[in-house]
Amino acid sequence: MSPHAGFNDLPAEVGEEIVGYLVDDDQQQTETDEPSALMLKKHEKNLKNFSLVCHYARALALQLLFLYLKVEMQTTSVSQGTSKHNADAHLQGLKGVMAFIQRNNLMRKIRALTLLFPSGYQLGQHIMADFKYKAIKMVVQLNPPTLTLMGYPALLGNLLDLTVDTRDEWAFGPRLQIIRLRQNHLRSRAETSAIWERPTSLMHSRPWDEALFNEGSSLEAYSRYEFHTMTTPSVLHTHCGWQWWSHLPAVLPFLQHFEFVAIFPLYDHMVEVSRAIQSLPSLVSMKTQLTPSKNAKYNILEDRERVGKAEISDVWSETTNSYRFLAQSISKRSDEEARLRRWVSADTTTNVDEIVGEYLEDDWVLVEPGVWERSDPIDL
């Protein structure tokens, strides 16, 4: 290497190692904060700016730039009566993404695919069918380790072939939600059933090992009269009721980890969530967060507009009772039914350990603050 050698003269392996430090760690976040429209605008500039320096820099950055691919759908509304030209724009968006991926040899290099559906994004029923087909096809072809969906409950339900109960949506305010599905390792065709050969939903487009549902905050609902009778707009609370969960063992047979984030959820909704947890046959661990993160940018309970007429005592009572019900439902399962061995609570600012410990059976041990583990039964 000459005394005046520059970055372009470095061996490719060294250049790739250096550029690797520009990858946005935020793209790998667990999304435990309350979803907001601001998340749609988060973009890492360092790596993108570096790719614009020269052809050599672009070649190095390209493979990393799209490791975590975010596709934000346009907000043009498409209804039943909309012209075919506008409807095609939504479908062409996915086609364009796939064409770019194939053109740049990125098919098997994407680690995470995120589909973002901002406020105002709507699809008519006939367009939704075509859109789902192409979205499922994209996931099957890319086979990303992680798939993240972000949008409003009704649209997410449509993507997952669920009819979300939105009768009380007005009481909760606009609630962006996040669903993240992850597969930790690839399985052979012999290990999976025909359901993954021709999937009809993004939920079973891949044999997922982990799932995260971030439903945001329900605080606004506490300002309403008889809030406890209201139905939470969520893909975990559908018109099908508890019967829908009877299909989960077939749809998510490999799911081993379930993470649920909902800020101050209603008790009745947590009953539905508990049914989901109980129906997962391979579940080994779960994580819950029912109060604001300790790293939250602001205290939601100090936001007078969002608190409204809510009684703070009601908010904490529903949260406490939700944890009690979760602990009770877990303890009621027999040794033959229960594979769950680890329960982590991210709510370190509350007395969750005391609440949970009161209802869990003796074979559950608090190993550290917020972490409970269940010992294996001893054969006598």
PDB file of all heavy atoms in Angstrom, residues 21-27 41-51 64-65 68 70:
ATOM      1  N   TYR A  21     -19.932  -0.599  11.061  1.00  0.00           N
ATOM      2  CA  TYR A  21     -20.204   0.226  12.231  1.00  0.00           C
ATOM      3  C   TYR A  21     -21.222   1.327  11.938  1.00  0.00           C
ATOM      4  O   TYR A  21     -21.691   2.010  12.868  1.00  0.00           O
ATOM      5  CB  TYR A  21     -18.907   0.853  12.741  1.00  0.00           C
ATOM      6  CG  TYR A  21     -17.991  -0.147  13.426  1.00  0.00           C
ATOM      7  CD1 TYR A  21     -16.946  -0.742  12.730  1.00  0.00           C
ATOM      8  CD2 TYR A  21     -18.204  -0.515  14.744  1.00  0.00           C
ATOM      9  CE1 TYR A  21     -16.109  -1.672  13.333  1.00  0.00           C
ATOM     10  CE2 TYR A  21     -17.379  -1.441  15.358  1.00  0.00           C
ATOM     11  CZ  TYR A  21     -16.324  -2.016  14.661  1.00  0.00           C
ATOM     12  OH  TYR A  21     -15.513  -2.940  15.269  1.00  0.00           O
ATOM     13  N   LEU A  22     -21.556   1.520  10.682  1.00  0.00           N
ATOM     14  CA  LEU A  22     -22.531   2.550  10.326  1.00  0.00           C
ATOM     15  C   LEU A  22     -23.960   2.020  10.304  1.00  0.00           C
ATOM     16  O   LEU A  22     -24.898   2.787  10.136  1.00  0.00           O
ATOM     17  CB  LEU A  22     -22.203   3.129   8.940  1.00  0.00           C
ATOM     18  CG  LEU A  22     -20.855   3.836   8.799  1.00  0.00           C
ATOM     19  CD1 LEU A  22     -20.665   4.282   7.354  1.00  0.00           C
ATOM     20  CD2 LEU A  22     -20.784   5.025   9.735  1.00  0.00           C
ATOM     21  N   VAL A  23     -24.122   0.699  10.476  1.00  0.00           N
ATOM     22  CA  VAL A  23     -25.462   0.116  10.464  1.00  0.00           C
ATOM     23  C   VAL A  23     -26.248   0.645  11.639  1.00  0.00           C
ATOM     24  O   VAL A  23     -25.742   0.725  12.763  1.00  0.00           O
ATOM     25  CB  VAL A  23     -25.386  -1.428  10.519  1.00  0.00           C
ATOM     26  CG1 VAL A  23     -26.793  -2.017  10.612  1.00  0.00           C
ATOM     27  CG2 VAL A  23     -24.689  -1.951   9.283  1.00  0.00           C
ATOM     28  N   ASP A  24     -27.505   1.008  11.403  1.00  0.00           N
ATOM     29  CA  ASP A  24     -28.365   1.592  12.424  1.00  0.00           C
ATOM     30  C   ASP A  24     -28.841   0.526  13.400  1.00  0.00           C
ATOM     31  O   ASP A  24     -29.652  -0.335  13.058  1.00  0.00           O
ATOM     32  CB  ASP A  24     -29.561   2.247  11.744  1.00  0.00           C
ATOM     33  CG  ASP A  24     -30.499   2.913  12.734  1.00  0.00           C
ATOM     34  OD1 ASP A  24     -30.075   3.113  13.880  1.00  0.00           O
ATOM     35  OD2 ASP A  24     -31.629   3.243  12.338  1.00  0.00           O
ATOM     36  N   ASP A  25     -28.350   0.587  14.642  1.00  0.00           N
ATOM     37  CA  ASP A  25     -28.799  -0.358  15.655  1.00  0.00           C
ATOM     38  C   ASP A  25     -30.276  -0.185  15.973  1.00  0.00           C
ATOM     39  O   ASP A  25     -30.945  -1.104  16.436  1.00  0.00           O
ATOM     40  CB  ASP A  25     -27.977  -0.193  16.942  1.00  0.00           C
ATOM     41  CG  ASP A  25     -26.547  -0.665  16.767  1.00  0.00           C
ATOM     42  OD1 ASP A  25     -26.321  -1.507  15.886  1.00  0.00           O
ATOM     43  OD2 ASP A  25     -25.667  -0.186  17.499  1.00  0.00           O
ATOM     44  N   ASP A  26     -30.798   1.018  15.740  1.00  0.00           N
ATOM     45  CA  ASP A  26     -32.193   1.289  16.046  1.00  0.00           C
ATOM     46  C   ASP A  26     -33.124   0.429  15.210  1.00  0.00           C
ATOM     47  O   ASP A  26     -34.257   0.162  15.602  1.00  0.00           O
ATOM     48  CB  ASP A  26     -32.500   2.776  15.806  1.00  0.00           C
ATOM     49  CG  ASP A  26     -33.916   3.152  16.213  1.00  0.00           C
ATOM     50  OD1 ASP A  26     -34.247   2.965  17.395  1.00  0.00           O
ATOM     51  OD2 ASP A  26     -34.684   3.600  15.347  1.00  0.00           O
ATOM     52  N   GLN A  27     -32.656  -0.024  14.073  1.00  0.00           N
ATOM     53  CA  GLN A  27     -33.485  -0.873  13.235  1.00  0.00           C
ATOM     54  C   GLN A  27     -33.674  -2.242  13.866  1.00  0.00           C
ATOM     55  O   GLN A  27     -34.544  -3.004  13.451  1.00  0.00           O
ATOM     56  CB  GLN A  27     -32.859  -1.004  11.847  1.00  0.00           C
ATOM     57  CG  GLN A  27     -32.794   0.313  11.096  1.00  0.00           C
ATOM     58  CD  GLN A  27     -32.214   0.146   9.709  1.00  0.00           C
ATOM     59  OE1 GLN A  27     -32.511  -0.808   9.019  1.00  0.00           O
ATOM     60  NE2 GLN A  27     -31.390   1.065   9.289  1.00  0.00           N
ATOM     61  N   LYS A  41     -40.886   7.870  10.403  1.00  0.00           N
ATOM     62  CA  LYS A  41     -39.945   8.830   9.841  1.00  0.00           C
ATOM     63  C   LYS A  41     -38.510   8.566  10.276  1.00  0.00           C
ATOM     64  O   LYS A  41     -37.603   9.325   9.962  1.00  0.00           O
ATOM     65  CB  LYS A  41     -40.345  10.250  10.267  1.00  0.00           C
ATOM     66  CG  LYS A  41     -41.790  10.607   9.892  1.00  0.00           C
ATOM     67  CD  LYS A  41     -42.042  10.455   8.397  1.00  0.00           C
ATOM     68  CE  LYS A  41     -43.473  10.810   8.036  1.00  0.00           C
ATOM     69  NZ  LYS A  41     -43.741  10.584   6.605  1.00  0.00           N
ATOM     70  N   LYS A  42     -38.290   7.483  11.040  1.00  0.00           N
ATOM     71  CA  LYS A  42     -36.946   7.171  11.503  1.00  0.00           C
ATOM     72  C   LYS A  42     -36.130   6.567  10.371  1.00  0.00           C
ATOM     73  O   LYS A  42     -36.457   5.509   9.852  1.00  0.00           O
ATOM     74  CB  LYS A  42     -36.996   6.182  12.675  1.00  0.00           C
ATOM     75  CG  LYS A  42     -37.409   6.835  13.987  1.00  0.00           C
ATOM     76  CD  LYS A  42     -37.284   5.836  15.121  1.00  0.00           C
ATOM     77  CE  LYS A  42     -37.587   6.483  16.460  1.00  0.00           C
ATOM     78  NZ  LYS A  42     -37.445   5.541  17.577  1.00  0.00           N
ATOM     79  N   HIS A  43     -35.088   7.222  10.000  1.00  0.00           N
ATOM     80  CA  HIS A  43     -34.219   6.700   8.946  1.00  0.00           C
ATOM     81  C   HIS A  43     -32.769   6.921   9.353  1.00  0.00           C
ATOM     82  O   HIS A  43     -32.414   7.978   9.884  1.00  0.00           O
ATOM     83  CB  HIS A  43     -34.481   7.405   7.611  1.00  0.00           C
ATOM     84  CG  HIS A  43     -35.851   7.149   7.061  1.00  0.00           C
ATOM     85  ND1 HIS A  43     -36.239   5.936   6.566  1.00  0.00           N
ATOM     86  CD2 HIS A  43     -36.924   7.961   6.959  1.00  0.00           C
ATOM     87  CE1 HIS A  43     -37.494   6.001   6.160  1.00  0.00           C
ATOM     88  NE2 HIS A  43     -37.931   7.217   6.388  1.00  0.00           N
ATOM     89  N   GLU A  44     -31.965   5.941   9.128  1.00  0.00           N
ATOM     90  CA  GLU A  44     -30.532   6.070   9.412  1.00  0.00           C
ATOM     91  C   GLU A  44     -29.857   6.796   8.255  1.00  0.00           C
ATOM     92  O   GLU A  44     -29.968   6.382   7.101  1.00  0.00           O
ATOM     93  CB  GLU A  44     -29.912   4.672   9.588  1.00  0.00           C
ATOM     94  CG  GLU A  44     -28.411   4.686   9.738  1.00  0.00           C
ATOM     95  CD  GLU A  44     -27.943   5.567  10.871  1.00  0.00           C
ATOM     96  OE1 GLU A  44     -28.471   5.422  11.979  1.00  0.00           O
ATOM     97  OE2 GLU A  44     -27.049   6.392  10.630  1.00  0.00           O
ATOM     98  N   LYS A  45     -29.187   7.907   8.566  1.00  0.00           N
ATOM     99  CA  LYS A  45     -28.575   8.733   7.525  1.00  0.00           C
ATOM    100  C   LYS A  45     -27.117   8.378   7.268  1.00  0.00           C
ATOM    101  O   LYS A  45     -26.611   8.574   6.165  1.00  0.00           O
ATOM    102  CB  LYS A  45     -28.676  10.221   7.912  1.00  0.00           C
ATOM    103  CG  LYS A  45     -30.116  10.734   8.049  1.00  0.00           C
ATOM    104  CD  LYS A  45     -30.860  10.653   6.734  1.00  0.00           C
ATOM    105  CE  LYS A  45     -32.258  11.253   6.841  1.00  0.00           C
ATOM    106  NZ  LYS A  45     -33.012  11.147   5.595  1.00  0.00           N
ATOM    107  N   ASN A  46     -26.424   7.889   8.288  1.00  0.00           N
ATOM    108  CA  ASN A  46     -24.983   7.670   8.141  1.00  0.00           C
ATOM    109  C   ASN A  46     -24.645   6.738   6.987  1.00  0.00           C
ATOM    110  O   ASN A  46     -23.851   7.073   6.101  1.00  0.00           O
ATOM    111  CB  ASN A  46     -24.400   7.116   9.445  1.00  0.00           C
ATOM    112  CG  ASN A  46     -24.442   8.128  10.569  1.00  0.00           C
ATOM    113  OD1 ASN A  46     -24.459   9.339  10.325  1.00  0.00           O
ATOM    114  ND2 ASN A  46     -24.467   7.650  11.796  1.00  0.00           N
ATOM    115  N   LEU A  47     -25.247   5.573   6.983  1.00  0.00           N
ATOM    116  CA  LEU A  47     -24.937   4.576   5.956  1.00  0.00           C
ATOM    117  C   LEU A  47     -25.421   5.040   4.590  1.00  0.00           C
ATOM    118  O   LEU A  47     -24.735   4.852   3.574  1.00  0.00           O
ATOM    119  CB  LEU A  47     -25.569   3.235   6.324  1.00  0.00           C
ATOM    120  CG  LEU A  47     -25.141   2.021   5.495  1.00  0.00           C
ATOM    121  CD1 LEU A  47     -23.644   1.823   5.575  1.00  0.00           C
ATOM    122  CD2 LEU A  47     -25.865   0.776   5.968  1.00  0.00           C
ATOM    123  N   LYS A  48     -26.591   5.662   4.556  1.00  0.00           N
ATOM    124  CA  LYS A  48     -27.123   6.146   3.281  1.00  0.00           C
ATOM    125  C   LYS A  48     -26.226   7.234   2.698  1.00  0.00           C
ATOM    126  O   LYS A  48     -25.915   7.229   1.498  1.00  0.00           O
ATOM    127  CB  LYS A  48     -28.537   6.691   3.481  1.00  0.00           C
ATOM    128  CG  LYS A  48     -29.196   7.139   2.180  1.00  0.00           C
ATOM    129  CD  LYS A  48     -30.630   7.575   2.424  1.00  0.00           C
ATOM    130  CE  LYS A  48     -31.288   8.017   1.128  1.00  0.00           C
ATOM    131  NZ  LYS A  48     -32.698   8.449   1.341  1.00  0.00           N
ATOM    132  N   ASN A  49     -25.792   8.177   3.541  1.00  0.00           N
ATOM    133  CA  ASN A  49     -24.908   9.241   3.066  1.00  0.00           C
ATOM    134  C   ASN A  49     -23.575   8.686   2.583  1.00  0.00           C
ATOM    135  O   ASN A  49     -23.027   9.146   1.571  1.00  0.00           O
ATOM    136  CB  ASN A  49     -24.674  10.270   4.173  1.00  0.00           C
ATOM    137  CG  ASN A  49     -25.915  11.099   4.451  1.00  0.00           C
ATOM    138  OD1 ASN A  49     -26.816  11.184   3.631  1.00  0.00           O
ATOM    139  ND2 ASN A  49     -25.976  11.697   5.633  1.00  0.00           N
ATOM    140  N   PHE A  50     -23.074   7.674   3.291  1.00  0.00           N
ATOM    141  CA  PHE A  50     -21.810   7.060   2.891  1.00  0.00           C
ATOM    142  C   PHE A  50     -21.938   6.412   1.510  1.00  0.00           C
ATOM    143  O   PHE A  50     -21.010   6.471   0.691  1.00  0.00           O
ATOM    144  CB  PHE A  50     -21.380   6.020   3.923  1.00  0.00           C
ATOM    145  CG  PHE A  50     -20.139   5.262   3.545  1.00  0.00           C
ATOM    146  CD1 PHE A  50     -18.886   5.833   3.710  1.00  0.00           C
ATOM    147  CD2 PHE A  50     -20.226   3.985   3.018  1.00  0.00           C
ATOM    148  CE1 PHE A  50     -17.745   5.136   3.344  1.00  0.00           C
ATOM    149  CE2 PHE A  50     -19.092   3.274   2.658  1.00  0.00           C
ATOM    150  CZ  PHE A  50     -17.846   3.864   2.816  1.00  0.00           C
ATOM    151  N   SER A  51     -23.092   5.821   1.235  1.00  0.00           N
ATOM    152  CA  SER A  51     -23.287   5.139  -0.051  1.00  0.00           C
ATOM    153  C   SER A  51     -23.284   6.107  -1.220  1.00  0.00           C
ATOM    154  O   SER A  51     -23.144   5.686  -2.374  1.00  0.00           O
ATOM    155  CB  SER A  51     -24.602   4.350  -0.037  1.00  0.00           C
ATOM    156  OG  SER A  51     -25.718   5.224  -0.030  1.00  0.00           O
ATOM    157  N   LEU A  64     -25.361  -3.777   3.204  1.00  0.00           N
ATOM    158  CA  LEU A  64     -25.782  -3.469   4.569  1.00  0.00           C
ATOM    159  C   LEU A  64     -26.974  -2.522   4.601  1.00  0.00           C
ATOM    160  O   LEU A  64     -27.774  -2.556   5.533  1.00  0.00           O
ATOM    161  CB  LEU A  64     -24.615  -2.843   5.352  1.00  0.00           C
ATOM    162  CG  LEU A  64     -23.375  -3.711   5.541  1.00  0.00           C
ATOM    163  CD1 LEU A  64     -22.281  -2.919   6.236  1.00  0.00           C
ATOM    164  CD2 LEU A  64     -23.716  -4.960   6.344  1.00  0.00           C
ATOM    165  N   LEU A  65     -27.071  -1.694   3.585  1.00  0.00           N
ATOM    166  CA  LEU A  65     -28.105  -0.659   3.568  1.00  0.00           C
ATOM    167  C   LEU A  65     -29.497  -1.261   3.598  1.00  0.00           C
ATOM    168  O   LEU A  65     -30.425  -0.671   4.152  1.00  0.00           O
ATOM    169  CB  LEU A  65     -27.934   0.211   2.313  1.00  0.00           C
ATOM    170  CG  LEU A  65     -28.728   1.519   2.268  1.00  0.00           C
ATOM    171  CD1 LEU A  65     -28.373   2.414   3.445  1.00  0.00           C
ATOM    172  CD2 LEU A  65     -28.471   2.237   0.953  1.00  0.00           C
ATOM    173  N   TYR A  68     -31.985  -4.323   6.794  1.00  0.00           N
ATOM    174  CA  TYR A  68     -33.229  -4.075   7.509  1.00  0.00           C
ATOM    175  C   TYR A  68     -34.090  -3.190   6.610  1.00  0.00           C
ATOM    176  O   TYR A  68     -34.000  -1.971   6.640  1.00  0.00           O
ATOM    177  CB  TYR A  68     -32.945  -3.412   8.858  1.00  0.00           C
ATOM    178  CG  TYR A  68     -31.978  -4.219   9.695  1.00  0.00           C
ATOM    179  CD1 TYR A  68     -30.608  -3.953   9.671  1.00  0.00           C
ATOM    180  CD2 TYR A  68     -32.428  -5.277  10.474  1.00  0.00           C
ATOM    181  CE1 TYR A  68     -29.722  -4.710  10.413  1.00  0.00           C
ATOM    182  CE2 TYR A  68     -31.543  -6.038  11.212  1.00  0.00           C
ATOM    183  CZ  TYR A  68     -30.198  -5.754  11.186  1.00  0.00           C
ATOM    184  OH  TYR A  68     -29.318  -6.505  11.913  1.00  0.00           O
ATOM    185  N   LYS A  70     -37.208  -1.328   5.165  1.00  0.00           N
ATOM    186  CA  LYS A  70     -38.479  -0.727   5.557  1.00  0.00           C
ATOM    187  C   LYS A  70     -39.206  -0.244   4.312  1.00  0.00           C
ATOM    188  O   LYS A  70     -38.656   0.524   3.535  1.00  0.00           O
ATOM    189  CB  LYS A  70     -38.261   0.444   6.512  1.00  0.00           C
ATOM    190  CG  LYS A  70     -37.693   0.047   7.875  1.00  0.00           C
ATOM    191  CD  LYS A  70     -37.567   1.259   8.789  1.00  0.00           C
ATOM    192  CE  LYS A  70     -37.003   0.851  10.141  1.00  0.00           C
ATOM    193  NZ  LYS A  70     -36.875   2.017  11.054  1.00  0.00           N
TER     194      LYS A  70
END
